[in-house]
Each structure stands twice: as C-alpha cells, then as structure tokens.
C-alpha cells in the first residue's frame, strides 16, 4: 500500500523532533505571506452575517445542546467558522495581539477551513469574515468517492487544510509537526461547537487525497488537506458507499505556484507529506465512527462563547510567567472530570497518553501523575521536591523567558509512535498529531473556564522529558506539553466579535 513505506515515517519522526536531532536549520528563502490568510485566486467573496452570536450554553456540562435548532444552516456555519478560526480577541500592547478560537505557534496559523456545500467550494477568510468562492460546481460526488461514504442527508462539509509555508518559513521541516497539532486544535474546536449547534460531526482522517486537493485547487507541494469534517443533522442516517474507479476530473480555481520554490527547501517535510497521502480505495478503513455526546453532571462554570474569547496562552512581552499562586486541587480534579466528558475524549485517551507534572497545586504533592479518564483520577507515579526546576531543566527555553518555577502544573501528551505507524502507515503521523491537538484543545477550553492560561509548548528536550515522566524504558514518546496557571501579565482585551 502506498503509505506503508514505514521507513519514511520513522526517519521523519526522528529527524524532526524539536531537539533530538539537528533540524532547525536556516533557510535561504523566507518569503513572508500576507497576514491572516495567504492570498490565492478566487471567483469572488461572499460576506458572512454579523448578527449577534447565539447563546451556546456553558462550557460544562458538555451534553448534546439544542442551541442551533432555531438557526439556519448558514447561521450555524457562520458561528462555526468565526469561533474556530475567526478573529475573536485583540490584546492591546501584546507582541501577538490578534487571537482566534484555537491556538497557533507564534500566531502564524497554517490551518485553513474550506466549505464544500452541495454546490460550490469556498475558503474562509478570517480577516474579512467572508467566504472566497473557489468553484461554483457541485463536488459531493467527488467527495463521496474520496471518503467512501454517501453524503445523502448531510448538511455541509468542511475540509481542514494546512498552508504549510506559513509555519515552515520559520520552522523548516519541523513545521509539519506543529501544523498538524494546530489542525487538531481546530478539529477539537469544531467538535465542541458543532455539538452545541445540534450537529453530529464526523471527522474523516482517512480519504483519498488527490481528488480532495483537486476540488480545493490545492498545490500539493505547499498545501495539504488533513481532515474532512461532515456536519450531519442530529439523528440523520449515514451509510457507507463503494468507490468505483477514479473520481471525475473537473476544472477548479487552482492555487498558483506561490511559495513552491520556498517549500522545496523543506525536502523531508514534502517527502513525508506525500508519503502520508492515500491513493487507493483499499487504504480507506471499514468505518470511521462519529463520537456520541456524553453528559457531565458538573456545575456550570462559564459561558462557552466567553470561554472561547478569553482562551489565552499567557503571552508576555518577554516570555511566560504565572502569578506563582497555587491552583486548588479540586479545580484540577474538576478539569479532569470535565475532560473525560468531552464527546471524543475517551476514544482519544486510548491512543494519546496523558500525564500531569504538579508543581504548585494546593493539596497535591509535587510530582508526576498519570491521568486516567475512564474513572477520572490523577495516579501518582513519582514525587519530586521541585517539579518547577525539573521542568525548567527539561526545557530548551532559558528560564528568563519561561518561568517554570512560577508554573503550577503542566500536562504532557504521549503516544506509542511505532504502534501508530503499524496501524495507520505513514498517515499515522498526522492522525496522532491531530488527535493530540483535539485533546489539547479541550484542555485549553477547560483551563480558560477556570480563569487560567493554557500554553501549548514543543520546546522541551525529548529525552530529558521522557526520563522525567518515566517513559525512557517504554516505546512511548512525548508529543506535546501544555502549561497552565494564572497569567502574571493580563492585557487590556477587546472583543472582536459581534
């Protein structure tokens, strides 16, 4: 099978870990794209509604909501796009003032959202809050062949893609790692919002890439599709269909060759991107199940819209620091209970391990804890007198830029990468990265609901972090770190919504 040359995936993982090998090489060409969204050919723009956002309820309890029942399909789509990738908050005086519903490394935002209704193809423009039309034709027959699923009865289809050069110009081949994590955050956000709007969202991680790139007009050396998201009305029937031959070819507004020369500098990245793509119907899985919503009998904490707009990564002018005040153990336990109640958290937890480094948590000894979601609990693994110092020693970043001594706690997401490749082929790299991003986004929202920042980090020393978590003698690797706490430098914020 096309994506089963596992040597490509193994080599790419090792060569593009943050510091395990020398990968942060300099690039000769670092052409900067336009802010917010890279310009591309289109047939015109359709402005979206600026009506007030609807009530979406509390971020907890996370039960199937009915907030979308009184909204039209376009109104629901508008809410989804704006609260996922639209500009929702501006921080006066911040180094990176403009923020969206999901985080991105240095606010570079490689993730793009494409909308494929039953007629036409569109790309969301977050700055203008509008849809760029890429095609006026119907493409669902192509999507059905690419997915192996009938779309009869679906309300809409979104494609999560990555404009990789937006990150690669600073991070070279390592960009694929953080671009796929970022896309996972976006998928997690879509999942939370869609359940509140009355949808049953289905995330397709496996699809035939070439027809999807064709209908989106993507230059595959610069951009790549990462997930196809189908929005089903609550209770709609879904069925698998057979794939016959090649999808029909039709003209679409295609990307030009902008940034192709620049991307050609990232040889390993392009090789991995190509090796991850599926080309044959036999590579599609038998079924991809949509998660069901699970109620959580917790107290309401904060309105979901307010949480999305206040979610932040604790940015400071020169780095990151918390107030140093301990966070209550009860709040941390409540976060884990709520995390376990997210629609897909239990399934993600089967693939993505979750550990906690507790440093300044009132009622919890300093040390490493394994996070169980089946019966939510923090299970002690090892106790250490000063976890802040140990996290600092495992970090690439100088202590004056990230003050780990002030950080109350940090979550670590882990994965058995070899097992992942064996199950999914090279496609498994982006699948596990995106699944980690989805779980991380849930943590970010729950932290924001408690008034905490949540800063996703990749700047740790892999081997030292694995030793810290007791993973050195296992086949697991660390995918992601999320530090949480109360921000020491709150900014004057402006709501950029409606």
């Amino acid at each position: 099978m096309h994506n089963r040359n596992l040597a490509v995936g193994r080599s790419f993982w090792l060569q593009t870990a943050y510091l395990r090998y020398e990968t942060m090489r300099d690039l000769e060409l670092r052409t900067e794209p336009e802010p917010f969204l890279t310009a591309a050919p289109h047939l015109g723009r359709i402005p979206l509604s600026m009506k007030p956002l609807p009530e979406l309820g509390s971020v907890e309890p996370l039960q199937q909501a009915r907030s979308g029942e009184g909204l039209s399909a376009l109104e629901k789509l508008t809410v989804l796009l704006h609260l996922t990738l639209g500009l929702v908050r501006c921080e006066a005086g911040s180094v990176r003032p403009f923020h969206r519903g999901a985080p991105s490394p240095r606010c570079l935002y490689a993730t793009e959202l494409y909308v494929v209704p039953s007629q036409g193809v569109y790309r969301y423009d977050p700055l203008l809050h509008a849809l760029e039309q890429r095609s006026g034709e119907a493409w669902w027959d192509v999507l059905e062949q690419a997915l192996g699923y009938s779309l009869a009865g679906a309300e809409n289809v979104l494609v999560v893609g990555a404009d990789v050069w937006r990150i690669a110009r600073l991070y070279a081949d390592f960009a694929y790692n953080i671009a796929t994590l970022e896309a996972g955050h976006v998928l997690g956000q879509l999942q939370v919002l869609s359940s509140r709007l009355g949808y049953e969202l289905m995330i397709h991680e496996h699809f035939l890439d070439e027809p999807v790139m064709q209908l989106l007009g993507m230059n595959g050396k610069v951009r790549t599709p990462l997930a196809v998201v189908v929005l089903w009305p609550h209770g709609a029937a879904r069925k698998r269909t057979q794939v016959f031959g090649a999808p029909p070819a039709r003209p679409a507004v295609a990307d030009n060759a902008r940034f192709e020369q620049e991307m050609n500098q990232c040889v390993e990245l392009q090789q991995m991107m190509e090796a991850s793509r599926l080309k044959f119907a036999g590579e599609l899985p038998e079924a991809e199940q949509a998660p069901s919503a699970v109620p959580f009998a917790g107290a309401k904490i904060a309105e979901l819209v307010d949480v999305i707009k206040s979610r932040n990564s604790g940015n400071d002018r020169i780095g990151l620091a918390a107030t140093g005040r301990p966070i209550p153990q009860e709040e941390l336990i409540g976060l884990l209970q709520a995390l376990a109640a997210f629609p897909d958290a239990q399934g993600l937890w089967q693939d993505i391990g979750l550990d906690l480094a507790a440093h300044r948590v009132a009622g919890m000894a300093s040390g490493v804890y394994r996070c169980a979601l089946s019966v939510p609990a923090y299970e002690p693994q090892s106790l250490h007198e000063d976890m802040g110092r140990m996290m600092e020693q495992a970090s690439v970043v100088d202590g004056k830029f990230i003050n780990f001594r002030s950080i109350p706690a940090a979550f670590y997401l882990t994965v058995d990468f070899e097992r992942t490749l064996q199950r999914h082929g090279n496609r498994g790299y982006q699948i596990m990265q995106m699944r980690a991003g989805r779980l991380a986004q849930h943590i970010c929202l729950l932290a924001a609901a408690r008034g905490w920042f949540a800063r996703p980090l990749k700047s740790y020393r892999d081997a030292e972090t694995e030793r810290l978590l007791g993973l050195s003698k296992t086949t697991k690797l660390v995918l992601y770190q999320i530090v949480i706490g109360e921000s020491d430098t709150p900014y004057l914020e402006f709501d950029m919504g409606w």
Side-chain angles (χ1 to χ4, degrees):
M1 296 172 72
H2 171 74
N3 74 327
R4 286 286 167 179
N5 178 9
L6 301 186
V8 177
R10 292 186 184 112
S11 172
F12 186 78
W13 177 268
L14 291 174
Q15 294 298 328
T16 58
Y18 195 80
L19 269 189
R20 197 184 295 277
Y21 288 88
E22 178 95 16
T23 59
M24 305 299 287
R25 54 187 173 77
D26 198 20
L27 299 178
E28 185 176 337
L29 297 175
R30 290 187 180 272
T31 314
E32 186 173 354
E34 294 82 2
F36 304 110
L37 186 73
T38 303
H42 58 85
L43 303 176
R45 289 191 181 91
I46 300 172
L48 294 173
S49 169
M50 300 295 286
K51 289 174 62 176
L53 290 168
E55 292 288 335
L56 296 180
S58 165
V59 70
E60 304 175 76
L62 299 170
Q63 55 196 7
Q64 182 66 45
R66 297 286 179 243
S67 303
E69 288 183 343
L71 302 177
S72 69
L74 182 58
E75 288 172 326
K76 288 188 283 187
L77 175 66
T78 299
V79 172
L80 275 176
L81 295 175
H82 174 67
L83 290 180
T84 300
L85 270 188
L87 305 178
V88 297
R89 190 178 80 256
C90 177
E91 295 177 344
S94 172
V95 177
R96 302 178 183 97
F98 298 105
H99 297 272
R100 313 192 198 187
S104 171
R106 303 196 190 190
C107 292
L108 295 172
Y109 286 100
T111 306
E112 297 180 319
L113 279 176
Y114 293 84
V115 182
V116 189
S118 57
Q119 189 81 23
V121 177
Y122 305 86
R123 183 176 69 150
Y124 178 58
D125 185 330
L127 180 61
L128 300 180
H129 187 51
L131 293 175
E132 289 182 352
Q133 186 173 6
R134 307 297 292 271
S135 171
E137 294 196 43
W139 287 87
W140 275 17
D141 57 338
V142 175
L143 273 178
E144 287 178 333
Q145 300 234 27
L147 297 173
Y149 272 90
S150 169
L151 293 174
E155 187 165 295
N156 219 325
V157 178
L158 305 177
V159 180
V160 176
D163 179 6
V164 186
W165 177 247
R166 296 188 70 86
I167 294 180
R169 70 183 182 85
L170 294 185
Y171 288 96
D173 294 291
F174 184 66
Y176 193 52
N177 185 304
I178 46 183
T180 47
L181 285 169
E182 179 191 302
H185 280 273
V186 168
L187 287 169
Q189 187 83 333
L190 286 172
Q191 195 152 35
V192 172
L193 288 167
S194 62
S195 68
R196 296 314 183 89
L197 293 168
Y199 287 124
E200 292 181 6
L201 176 143
M202 192 167 187
I203 297 173
H204 292 266
E205 300 166 323
H206 300 83
F207 51 88
L208 303 183
D209 292 78
E210 192 60 40
V212 174
M213 288 192 293
Q214 180 192 27
L215 74 89
L216 299 179
M218 280 185 170
N219 178 346
K221 293 185 177 181
V222 180
R223 287 182 166 92
T224 193
L226 292 172
V228 178
V229 178
V230 184
L231 301 175
W232 296 92
H234 182 67
R238 297 182 290 275
K239 63 180 181 179
R240 186 166 176 80
T241 187
Q242 290 185 329
V243 181
F244 297 101
R250 293 200 290 276
V253 174
D255 289 342
N256 49 37
R258 285 188 75 201
F259 306 118
E260 183 175 324
Q261 182 181 2
E262 288 86 343
M263 276 294 292
N264 288 341
Q265 301 171 105
C266 305
V267 177
E268 289 86 357
L269 189 160
Q270 287 187 329
Q271 182 185 38
M272 185 62 191
M273 209 157 55
E274 175 60 28
S276 299
R277 291 172 179 157
L278 305 184
K279 294 190 175 181
F280 308 108
E283 296 179 287
L284 298 177
E286 285 300 314
E288 295 197 81
Q289 297 296 324
S292 56
V294 180
F296 168 61
K300 290 188 177 181
I301 290 182
E303 292 298 309
L304 178 58
V305 173
D306 294 336
V307 166
I308 290 171
K309 291 182 177 183
S310 64
R311 180 210 61 77
N312 74 93
S313 300
N315 283 323
D316 196 352
R317 285 184 177 275
I318 60 170
L320 175 66
T323 60
R325 287 192 294 270
I327 59 177
Q329 180 185 16
E330 314 83 70
E331 289 284 348
L332 206 54
I333 291 172
L335 185 150
L336 194 67
Q337 290 173 335
L339 179 64
F342 270 99
D344 62 344
Q346 296 291 341
L348 293 173
W349 181 62
Q350 300 304 313
D351 295 314
I352 307 295
L354 189 62
D355 292 312
L356 176 79
H359 175 48
R360 293 176 179 269
V361 181
M364 185 179 285
S366 177
V368 175
Y369 296 78
R370 190 93 351 115
C371 304
L373 294 189
S374 51
V375 179
Y378 296 103
E379 302 168 350
Q381 300 300 303
S382 59
L383 300 181
H384 306 278
E385 185 176 348
D386 189 348
M387 276 303 304
R389 180 179 61 84
M390 298 186 77
M391 287 191 288
E392 182 179 272
Q393 290 174 343
S395 174
V396 175
V397 182
D398 189 286
K400 67 182 180 182
F401 296 112
I402 298 183
N403 183 358
F404 279 100
R405 307 297 179 97
S406 71
I407 300 295
F411 287 99
Y412 292 88
L413 282 65
T414 65
V415 67
D416 186 330
F417 186 63
E418 182 62 32
R419 176 171 167 262
T420 297
L421 287 181
Q422 293 294 338
R423 286 175 58 195
H424 300 287
N426 289 319
R427 186 74 154 209
Y429 181 92
Q430 68 184 47
I431 287 174
M432 284 302 117
Q433 293 282 114
M434 289 191 293
R435 289 182 183 180
R438 284 158 63 184
L439 195 61
Q441 181 65 10
H442 299 339
I443 293 173
C444 289
L445 291 176
L446 292 170
R450 288 155 175 79
W452 303 337
F453 67 78
R455 177 70 164 267
L457 294 172
K458 289 291 294 186
S459 53
Y460 47 80
R461 302 179 191 278
D462 302 85
E464 285 88 336
T465 305
E466 286 154 18
R467 280 197 295 272
L468 175 64
L469 300 179
L471 302 177
S472 298
K473 296 182 180 180
T474 73
T475 55
K476 287 191 172 183
L477 301 169
V478 179
L479 273 180
Y480 219 9
Q481 179 187 21
I482 305 170
V483 298
I484 60 174
E486 295 179 75
S487 180
D488 192 38
T489 312
Y491 287 98
L492 177 62
E493 298 179 351
F494 297 94
D495 187 341
M496 296 187 70
W498 342 301

